[in-house]
Amino acid sequence: MNRGRIGERAKCWFWLAAVMLALTPTMVWAERSVETAFGEVVVPDAPQRVVTLHEGALDTALAVGIMPLGAVTTRGGDGVARYIEAHLDGERPTIVGVVREINLEAVLRLGPDLILAPPQLSEAQYRLLSRMAPTVVPLSEGLDPELWRDEARLHAQALGRGAEVEALLEQVDARAAEIAERIVADEAPSAVLVRWMPQGPMVLSADLFTAGLVRAAGVEIHDAGLVEESKPHSDTLSLENLSRVDADWLFLATLNEEGRDALEAARASPAFSRLDVVARDQVVPVDGQLWTSATGPLAALAILDELDTALSP
């Protein structure tokens, strides 16, 4: 990096720190508070300028009737997830980076009064963000298909919409039970969820958000013994090892055009065509932005709707 760029970056950080310091004395918040990964945080009674730095937080905010001013991109895309588009009602949050690379200047320019952050936010980033506005970080450790519920409850509580999210969680449970009740008349089918990347297929863990929903709907989803404990997905499988993902149903997710091109090439291969699930015509293409990256009540309901459609005769 040349001296010019270093100098520009130093000026940028100086400006950012100066503005945050100038803002600090004017921030007087209401008495309501929430318990977060970094302790108790006081939040506004009725936040008006919300920024979400986590896909699940954006989903929850929209689900409870709050349109954020800013949001991060979905994995593999340069905007919000495709399933979110249906809930924007003509408005659109400003993109303030990706979940692992937040543009602090862009967040600051929006003048937030509440920031909903991802569980993996570093303490250093938390300290900077919390100088701009109360920053809510869920305490989530490890993989658990039910963790998303705690995250949604915390984010909704910070928005003052706790009752609304509880109603949505009940709606998710009722929808899953409705599908399961129909399936229980037969033997529970098995399923594997695979994300197809340009370099090849990866099996998704049975401990993730989507797996929990699919299981609640009566489908025995598994990872074919290919995912190590506490890992979100397997290593990339060779086409020779593809037979290990054979199941009653195979859900194939792609994130972008490159993934779809790789999948179309794989479909022409003998290894793919030899799968029993292919012969039964029970391979279901799904949107990876929804099935493998999203969390939240809106995502849960959308996945269950698509699952219902796939399993319906």
Side-chain angles (χ1 to χ4, degrees):
M1 184 179 295
N2 59 43
R3 291 184 177 179
R5 290 183 63 185
I6 292 174
E8 288 300 315
R9 178 164 293 186
K11 289 178 183 176
C12 177
W13 279 100
F14 176 79
W15 173 82
L16 185 62
V19 174
M20 285 192 290
L21 285 172
L23 285 173
T24 301
T26 68
M27 294 179 177
V28 179
W29 309 113
E31 296 298 320
R32 200 161 56 85
S33 65
V34 294
E35 191 64 34
T36 77
F38 293 99
E40 190 172 278
V41 172
V42 177
V43 297
D45 269 339
Q48 301 295 314
R49 304 183 63 81
V50 178
V51 171
T52 60
L53 304 179
H54 175 45
E55 286 190 75
L58 173 61
D59 183 301
T60 298
L62 292 170
V64 300
I66 300 289
M67 171 59 70
L69 290 177
V72 292
T73 63
T74 186
R75 187 192 302 268
D78 55 8
V80 298
R82 287 179 284 272
Y83 83 94
I84 286 289
E85 296 283 346
H87 303 279
L88 294 181
D89 295 330
E91 299 180 68
R92 184 164 296 278
T94 298
I95 296 301
V96 293
V98 300
V99 68
R100 296 190 184 281
E101 191 173 346
I102 299 163
N103 185 332
L104 296 175
E105 291 177 65
V107 176
L108 182 63
R109 278 196 294 271
L110 293 175
D113 61 5
L114 180 66
I115 298 172
L116 303 181
Q120 67 270 28
L121 188 77
S122 71
E123 183 168 354
Q125 285 185 311
Y126 170 75
R127 298 298 173 199
L128 286 170
L129 289 166
S130 61
R131 298 295 298 272
M132 302 181 203
T135 301
V136 174
V137 182
L139 177 58
S140 300
E141 295 179 347
L143 296 181
D144 186 320
E146 301 301 315
L147 274 179
W148 72 277
R149 294 174 185 270
D150 294 338
E151 294 175 8
R153 284 189 171 106
L154 177 64
H155 287 142
Q157 186 184 359
L159 293 166
R161 304 291 174 98
E164 286 84 346
V165 84
E166 290 301 332
L168 285 160
L169 294 177
E170 289 179 8
Q171 188 179 343
V172 170
D173 291 338
R175 187 72 176 100
E178 176 189 354
I179 300 170
E181 186 177 6
R182 194 175 65 250
I183 289 176
V184 79
D186 305 314
E187 185 177 350
S190 62
V192 174
L193 174 59
V194 169
R195 182 161 65 201
W196 213 289
M197 303 295 285
Q199 63 270 34
M202 298 184 302
V203 178
L204 275 293
S205 168
D207 291 327
L208 293 176
F209 164 72
T210 298
L213 294 169
V214 173
R215 194 175 298 114
V219 177
E220 296 296 328
I221 192 165
H222 61 86
D223 63 14
L226 292 165
V227 182
E228 295 180 20
E229 187 175 352
S230 301
K231 297 288 186 182
H233 53 70
S234 71
D235 294 333
T236 303
L237 300 181
S238 66
L239 290 181
E240 288 74 21
N241 287 329
L242 198 58
S243 62
R244 298 182 65 178
V245 303
D246 224 341
D248 293 330
W249 292 89
L250 183 60
F251 296 100
L252 289 180
T254 55
L255 290 172
N256 48 35
E257 291 298 333
E258 290 79 9
R260 280 189 282 275
D261 290 345
L263 176 56
E264 287 308 310
R267 284 180 185 279
S269 72
F272 192 91
S273 60
R274 280 197 295 268
L275 294 175
D276 289 341
V277 70
V278 174
R280 290 193 303 274
D281 195 24
Q282 292 189 169
V283 178
V284 182
V286 294
D287 186 343
Q289 291 183 2
L290 173 61
W291 281 64
T292 69
S293 294
T295 65
L298 298 177
L301 291 169
I303 289 170
L304 290 172
D305 283 348
E306 292 188 6
L307 178 68
D308 194 11
T309 300
L311 299 182
S312 296

